Amino acid sequence: MFIQPEWRYKQENGSAMHQWIKQKENPIPGDVDIILYGALLSYGRKPSPKALYPTAFRKAWPSFQSYNLDEQVDLRSLAVVDVGDVAIHATDRMLSESAIEAAAESLSTAYSKSFTCLIGGDHAITACSLRGIKNAFPQDRIGIIQIDTHLDARNQEEIGLAMDSPIQKLIAAGIVEGKHVYNVGLHGFFNSPEMIHYAKEQGIHMITLKQMRRDGIQLTIREMLRQLMYAVDRIYVSVDLDALDIIFAPGVPAATPGGLTPYELFDILKLIGENEGVRHIDFVYADPKEGDLRPETVKMGVTAFLHWLTGIQLDHRNRISKKGKTGIR
């Protein structure tokens, strides 16, 4: 089901990412806080469908340390395990998507108390992984937070099978309800009237970047999480790197002017990490349609991932602190 990453890193003690994130094929469930895996699917790349980002993501790790100076937390206390990449077929799209679905189901079942993090690849992997999670927890209501410039809800009956419509696919399949989908970061002239009509019809929450900045990003994200925690059993977050302003995401094919700044994205992900109801996350669409990945974009994605981990670590620390105070009483 999984293959070893193209770039193997030396397992040793230290504070750089490649030293404290462990590579294991079958880790013991009780020893894992976060399960990390990649999906090499990329429909935009020719002639090969293989995504570049999962490998580039890992190769950037030696440049990053475990300590977040701003928050004064050391991420090495989190047990992060990299199980490798989903083995996909070189030409068969449906077979590849089924493999990602099976991998997500397997990991969610075996590591039900851990967070899962999927690195892609094409945004199509979001629908694949969510189908797998639903297979693992068929009774659970799932909420989605999509950080994206686009709604990704094109009507496939009108335009054919669309790889970049994971939300529409999931709603059509009954995996999620539209009212449990929150799309944040929308802005500008990048969503058609038909797509906006569909989103309204399905009850999708469309939170524009202008609205978030007016009301306060932290307040908006906290309220969104509060509403979802009340309505669903588990939350899935999809981070499309084209949500960043095009200045900060060179080479990302669908990046646009007027998007999120890195500071805004990092704050959002830290807050999301602090919420224990968010059990699953993916980082997608870093791959250019042509050429190589830009190192600036790779490092941006790694930093975003680390801010999510920072939120998880802060949540752990706060809960331990509260238990300590309760014990004193």
Side-chain angles (χ1 to χ4, degrees):
M1 184 175 293
F2 295 98
I3 58 175
Q4 291 303 307
E6 289 184 20
W7 185 69
R8 297 280 291 173
Y9 44 93
K10 188 176 180 181
Q11 299 288 282
E12 57 185 347
N13 293 325
S15 59
M17 281 182 71
H18 68 295
Q19 295 170 322
W20 56 272
I21 296 182
K22 305 303 179 186
Q23 279 187 327
K24 295 181 181 179
E25 292 185 23
N26 295 294
I28 299 170
D31 295 342
V32 181
D33 293 315
I34 294 97
I35 283 282
L36 176 70
Y37 65 116
L40 302 177
L41 204 60
S42 179
Y43 296 131
R45 298 192 61 77
K46 296 179 181 180
S48 170
K50 185 178 291 187
L52 300 176
Y53 189 57
T55 298
F57 179 80
R58 296 180 177 103
K59 283 185 174 181
W61 290 354
S63 300
F64 292 86
Q65 296 293 317
S66 63
Y67 195 79
N68 185 324
L69 183 61
D70 298 314
E71 302 296 337
Q72 298 187 29
V73 298
D74 192 338
L75 299 178
R76 282 180 294 178
S77 59
L78 293 174
V80 185
V81 179
D82 178 5
V83 295
D85 295 319
V86 181
I88 63 169
H89 195 275
T91 57
D92 192 319
R93 167 178 171 166
M94 294 187 67
L95 193 60
S96 296
E97 291 192 354
S98 295
I100 297 169
E101 178 180 336
E105 179 180 358
S106 174
L107 291 176
S108 298
T109 302
Y111 303 95
S112 59
K113 296 187 183 301
S114 304
F115 301 93
T116 65
C117 178
L118 175 59
I119 307 296
D122 199 277
H123 211 165
I125 68 174
T126 297
C128 304
S129 60
L130 268 161
R131 286 196 299 268
I133 291 164
K134 185 65 173 179
N135 293 340
F137 306 103
Q139 303 304 318
D140 281 9
R141 295 166 299 175
I142 301 175
I144 299 176
I145 298 172
Q146 178 168 309
I147 302 171
D148 201 334
T149 296
H150 310 93
L151 285 162
D152 288 345
R154 291 168 178 80
N155 188 330
Q156 294 180 63
E157 292 182 0
E158 294 179 3
I159 65 173
L161 190 61
M163 63 186 176
D164 54 354
S165 294
I167 300 302
Q168 194 275 344
K169 287 182 183 179
L170 292 164
I171 292 174
I175 305 298
V176 298
E177 296 183 61
K179 65 182 180 181
H180 296 153
V181 177
Y182 286 71
N183 196 305
V184 300
L186 299 166
H187 65 277
F189 304 86
F190 309 107
N191 291 278
S192 70
E194 293 78 13
M195 214 181 328
I196 292 168
H197 174 75
Y198 172 83
K200 289 179 177 178
E201 191 177 56
Q202 296 297 323
I204 293 172
H205 300 266
M206 295 179 284
I207 305 170
T208 66
L209 189 50
K210 182 178 180 179
Q211 179 185 345
M212 289 176 67
R213 286 170 174 161
R214 182 195 65 205
D215 298 340
I217 287 180
Q218 290 201 15
L219 185 65
T220 301
I221 297 300
R222 290 188 190 280
E223 176 58 22
M224 177 183 61
L225 288 165
R226 186 194 67 79
Q227 291 178 18
L228 271 175
M229 286 290 287
Y230 177 79
V232 302
D233 302 297
R234 62 182 58 241
I235 301 170
Y236 186 107
V237 174
S238 182
V239 184
D240 189 327
L241 292 177
D242 73 22
L244 287 163
D245 189 283
I246 194 169
I247 295 172
F248 306 113
V252 173
T256 62
L260 288 164
T261 69
Y263 305 106
E264 291 171 332
L265 178 61
F266 300 159
D267 275 350
I268 290 169
L269 288 170
K270 182 178 73 68
L271 288 170
I272 284 171
E274 290 181 45
N275 189 289
E276 197 178 9
V278 179
R279 307 305 304 172
H280 316 278
I281 195 167
D282 68 39
F283 292 86
V284 299
Y285 247 158
D287 278 351
K289 289 185 177 180
E290 297 179 357
D292 295 327
L293 268 170
R294 296 282 294 270
E296 308 97 296
T297 302
V298 174
K299 289 185 176 181
M300 191 71 71
V302 175
T303 307
F305 166 76
L306 290 173
H307 277 275
W308 172 63
L309 291 186
T310 296
I312 294 174
Q313 176 62 7
L314 287 171
D315 179 54
H316 284 185
R317 189 171 71 179
N318 290 338
R319 282 190 279 117
I320 291 170
S321 176
K322 288 178 182 178
K323 285 182 181 179
K325 289 179 180 178
T326 304
I328 291 172
R329 293 177 183 175

mmCIF file of all heavy atoms in Angstrom, residues 1 14 18 24 44 61 103 108 120 130 149 153 169 174 185 198 208 227 244 262 280 289 310 320:
data_model
loop_
_atom_site.group_PDB
_atom_site.id
_atom_site.type_symbol
_atom_site.label_atom_id
_atom_site.label_comp_id
_atom_site.label_asym_id
_atom_site.label_seq_id
_atom_site.Cartn_x
_atom_site.Cartn_y
_atom_site.Cartn_z
ATOM 1 N N MET A 1 0.823 -1.209 0.000
ATOM 2 C CA MET A 1 0.000 0.000 0.000
ATOM 3 C C MET A 1 0.856 1.257 0.000
ATOM 4 O O MET A 1 0.551 2.241 -0.655
ATOM 5 C CB MET A 1 -0.929 0.004 1.223
ATOM 6 C CG MET A 1 -1.893 1.184 1.251
ATOM 7 S SD MET A 1 -3.079 1.102 2.609
ATOM 8 C CE MET A 1 -4.035 -0.324 2.120
ATOM 9 N N GLY A 14 18.335 14.652 17.094
ATOM 10 C CA GLY A 14 18.663 16.032 16.757
ATOM 11 C C GLY A 14 17.396 16.854 16.670
ATOM 12 O O GLY A 14 16.290 16.350 16.844
ATOM 13 N N HIS A 18 14.307 16.374 9.830
ATOM 14 C CA HIS A 18 14.593 15.019 9.357
ATOM 15 C C HIS A 18 15.168 14.135 10.454
ATOM 16 O O HIS A 18 15.296 12.920 10.278
ATOM 17 C CB HIS A 18 15.545 15.056 8.161
ATOM 18 C CG HIS A 18 16.928 15.521 8.484
ATOM 19 N ND1 HIS A 18 17.186 16.791 8.919
ATOM 20 C CD2 HIS A 18 18.129 14.880 8.438
ATOM 21 C CE1 HIS A 18 18.485 16.922 9.131
ATOM 22 N NE2 HIS A 18 19.081 15.782 8.845
ATOM 23 N N LYS A 24 8.820 5.027 9.579
ATOM 24 C CA LYS A 24 8.484 3.664 9.994
ATOM 25 C C LYS A 24 7.356 3.155 9.112
ATOM 26 O O LYS A 24 6.421 3.890 8.806
ATOM 27 C CB LYS A 24 8.052 3.636 11.470
ATOM 28 C CG LYS A 24 9.143 4.015 12.453
ATOM 29 C CD LYS A 24 8.619 3.939 13.888
ATOM 30 C CE LYS A 24 9.700 4.350 14.885
ATOM 31 N NZ LYS A 24 9.194 4.316 16.285
ATOM 32 N N GLY A 44 -1.972 17.409 -13.472
ATOM 33 C CA GLY A 44 -1.527 18.541 -14.276
ATOM 34 C C GLY A 44 -0.170 18.344 -14.913
ATOM 35 O O GLY A 44 0.235 19.117 -15.766
ATOM 36 N N TRP A 61 13.389 19.423 4.826
ATOM 37 C CA TRP A 61 13.397 19.310 6.281
ATOM 38 C C TRP A 61 14.703 19.684 6.972
ATOM 39 O O TRP A 61 14.675 20.254 8.060
ATOM 40 C CB TRP A 61 12.973 17.905 6.710
ATOM 41 C CG TRP A 61 11.522 17.635 6.446
ATOM 42 C CD1 TRP A 61 10.588 18.520 5.988
ATOM 43 C CD2 TRP A 61 10.851 16.389 6.610
ATOM 44 N NE1 TRP A 61 9.367 17.910 5.857
ATOM 45 C CE2 TRP A 61 9.493 16.604 6.224
ATOM 46 C CE3 TRP A 61 11.245 15.123 7.027
ATOM 47 C CZ2 TRP A 61 8.544 15.582 6.269
ATOM 48 C CZ3 TRP A 61 10.292 14.116 7.068
ATOM 49 C CH2 TRP A 61 8.963 14.340 6.698
ATOM 50 N N ALA A 103 -5.709 3.694 1.497
ATOM 51 C CA ALA A 103 -4.662 4.086 2.435
ATOM 52 C C ALA A 103 -5.229 4.953 3.552
ATOM 53 O O ALA A 103 -4.903 4.765 4.732
ATOM 54 C CB ALA A 103 -3.556 4.841 1.698
ATOM 55 N N SER A 108 -6.639 5.638 9.130
ATOM 56 C CA SER A 108 -7.632 6.179 10.053
ATOM 57 C C SER A 108 -8.157 5.113 11.003
ATOM 58 O O SER A 108 -8.479 5.403 12.154
ATOM 59 C CB SER A 108 -8.801 6.795 9.269
ATOM 60 O OG SER A 108 -8.364 7.859 8.469
ATOM 61 N N GLY A 120 0.164 16.274 -0.897
ATOM 62 C CA GLY A 120 -0.025 16.024 -2.324
ATOM 63 C C GLY A 120 0.759 17.043 -3.135
ATOM 64 O O GLY A 120 1.492 17.847 -2.580
ATOM 65 N N LEU A 130 -11.020 11.556 1.957
ATOM 66 C CA LEU A 130 -12.251 11.684 2.737
ATOM 67 C C LEU A 130 -13.172 10.487 2.546
ATOM 68 O O LEU A 130 -13.864 10.071 3.487
ATOM 69 C CB LEU A 130 -12.963 12.982 2.372
ATOM 70 C CG LEU A 130 -12.583 14.166 3.267
ATOM 71 C CD1 LEU A 130 -12.920 15.489 2.616
ATOM 72 C CD2 LEU A 130 -13.280 14.050 4.615
ATOM 73 N N THR A 149 -8.695 29.606 -2.591
ATOM 74 C CA THR A 149 -9.217 30.720 -3.367
ATOM 75 C C THR A 149 -10.490 30.322 -4.108
ATOM 76 O O THR A 149 -11.321 31.168 -4.430
ATOM 77 C CB THR A 149 -8.165 31.196 -4.391
ATOM 78 O OG1 THR A 149 -7.032 31.699 -3.678
ATOM 79 C CG2 THR A 149 -8.698 32.287 -5.299
ATOM 80 N N ALA A 153 -16.177 23.350 -6.705
ATOM 81 C CA ALA A 153 -17.484 22.694 -6.707
ATOM 82 C C ALA A 153 -18.123 22.796 -8.089
ATOM 83 O O ALA A 153 -19.286 23.135 -8.236
ATOM 84 C CB ALA A 153 -18.392 23.326 -5.650
ATOM 85 N N LYS A 169 -17.875 16.461 -5.561
ATOM 86 C CA LYS A 169 -17.873 15.000 -5.551
ATOM 87 C C LYS A 169 -18.335 14.460 -4.208
ATOM 88 O O LYS A 169 -19.127 13.519 -4.127
ATOM 89 C CB LYS A 169 -16.459 14.477 -5.839
ATOM 90 C CG LYS A 169 -15.986 14.629 -7.265
ATOM 91 C CD LYS A 169 -14.587 14.029 -7.388
ATOM 92 C CE LYS A 169 -14.002 14.201 -8.765
ATOM 93 N NZ LYS A 169 -12.638 13.646 -8.857
ATOM 94 N N GLY A 174 -22.694 11.922 -0.866
ATOM 95 C CA GLY A 174 -23.255 11.838 0.480
ATOM 96 C C GLY A 174 -22.219 11.670 1.573
ATOM 97 O O GLY A 174 -22.558 11.311 2.708
ATOM 98 N N GLY A 185 -10.994 32.039 2.642
ATOM 99 C CA GLY A 185 -9.956 32.575 1.773
ATOM 100 C C GLY A 185 -10.450 32.969 0.400
ATOM 101 O O GLY A 185 -9.662 33.369 -0.466
ATOM 102 N N TYR A 198 -24.384 27.132 -6.919
ATOM 103 C CA TYR A 198 -24.375 25.758 -6.399
ATOM 104 C C TYR A 198 -24.016 25.746 -4.918
ATOM 105 O O TYR A 198 -24.650 25.048 -4.112
ATOM 106 C CB TYR A 198 -23.373 24.911 -7.190
ATOM 107 C CG TYR A 198 -23.148 23.539 -6.602
ATOM 108 C CD1 TYR A 198 -24.017 22.487 -6.866
ATOM 109 C CD2 TYR A 198 -22.052 23.278 -5.760
ATOM 110 C CE1 TYR A 198 -23.824 21.231 -6.320
ATOM 111 C CE2 TYR A 198 -21.847 22.031 -5.206
ATOM 112 C CZ TYR A 198 -22.737 21.007 -5.490
ATOM 113 O OH TYR A 198 -22.528 19.762 -4.928
ATOM 114 N N THR A 208 -15.364 35.047 2.767
ATOM 115 C CA THR A 208 -14.391 35.727 1.929
ATOM 116 C C THR A 208 -13.224 36.257 2.762
ATOM 117 O O THR A 208 -13.352 36.493 3.965
ATOM 118 C CB THR A 208 -15.031 36.900 1.168
ATOM 119 O OG1 THR A 208 -15.426 37.911 2.117
ATOM 120 C CG2 THR A 208 -16.240 36.446 0.374
ATOM 121 N N GLN A 227 -18.710 26.349 15.639
ATOM 122 C CA GLN A 227 -19.908 25.875 14.956
ATOM 123 C C GLN A 227 -19.744 24.443 14.469
ATOM 124 O O GLN A 227 -20.661 23.618 14.606
ATOM 125 C CB GLN A 227 -20.225 26.804 13.780
ATOM 126 C CG GLN A 227 -20.681 28.200 14.188
ATOM 127 C CD GLN A 227 -20.936 29.094 12.992
ATOM 128 O OE1 GLN A 227 -21.107 28.627 11.863
ATOM 129 N NE2 GLN A 227 -20.973 30.409 13.217
ATOM 130 N N LEU A 244 -2.718 31.278 -0.990
ATOM 131 C CA LEU A 244 -1.743 32.345 -0.774
ATOM 132 C C LEU A 244 -1.735 33.318 -1.943
ATOM 133 O O LEU A 244 -1.994 32.939 -3.093
ATOM 134 C CB LEU A 244 -0.343 31.742 -0.618
ATOM 135 C CG LEU A 244 -0.049 31.024 0.691
ATOM 136 C CD1 LEU A 244 1.193 30.150 0.534
ATOM 137 C CD2 LEU A 244 0.142 32.023 1.831
ATOM 138 N N PRO A 262 1.448 34.944 4.156
ATOM 139 C CA PRO A 262 1.943 33.820 4.959
ATOM 140 C C PRO A 262 1.558 33.937 6.430
ATOM 141 O O PRO A 262 1.183 32.937 7.058
ATOM 142 C CB PRO A 262 3.461 33.903 4.767
ATOM 143 C CG PRO A 262 3.641 34.568 3.448
ATOM 144 C CD PRO A 262 2.521 35.557 3.351
ATOM 145 N N HIS A 280 -7.881 15.461 10.727
ATOM 146 C CA HIS A 280 -7.233 15.149 9.448
ATOM 147 C C HIS A 280 -6.928 16.445 8.698
ATOM 148 O O HIS A 280 -7.699 17.402 8.767
ATOM 149 C CB HIS A 280 -8.137 14.269 8.583
ATOM 150 C CG HIS A 280 -8.791 13.146 9.321
ATOM 151 N ND1 HIS A 280 -8.153 11.958 9.575
ATOM 152 C CD2 HIS A 280 -10.018 13.038 9.899
ATOM 153 C CE1 HIS A 280 -8.960 11.157 10.253
ATOM 154 N NE2 HIS A 280 -10.092 11.799 10.463
ATOM 155 N N LYS A 289 2.336 23.150 -13.254
ATOM 156 C CA LYS A 289 1.941 22.337 -14.403
ATOM 157 C C LYS A 289 3.145 22.004 -15.275
ATOM 158 O O LYS A 289 3.184 20.980 -15.941
ATOM 159 C CB LYS A 289 0.882 23.074 -15.225
ATOM 160 C CG LYS A 289 -0.467 23.147 -14.516
ATOM 161 C CD LYS A 289 -1.525 23.774 -15.407
ATOM 162 C CE LYS A 289 -2.877 23.772 -14.706
ATOM 163 N NZ LYS A 289 -3.940 24.386 -15.538
ATOM 164 N N THR A 310 2.486 23.218 15.663
ATOM 165 C CA THR A 310 2.619 24.121 16.809
ATOM 166 C C THR A 310 1.295 24.231 17.550
ATOM 167 O O THR A 310 1.251 24.197 18.787
ATOM 168 C CB THR A 310 3.082 25.518 16.346
ATOM 169 O OG1 THR A 310 4.389 25.415 15.777
ATOM 170 C CG2 THR A 310 3.114 26.499 17.512
ATOM 171 N N ILE A 320 -2.427 19.730 29.615
ATOM 172 C CA ILE A 320 -1.598 19.228 30.721
ATOM 173 C C ILE A 320 -1.587 20.238 31.862
ATOM 174 O O ILE A 320 -1.676 19.885 33.041
ATOM 175 C CB ILE A 320 -0.158 18.938 30.232
ATOM 176 C CG1 ILE A 320 -0.161 17.729 29.296
ATOM 177 C CG2 ILE A 320 0.782 18.717 31.403
ATOM 178 C CD1 ILE A 320 1.147 17.511 28.570
#
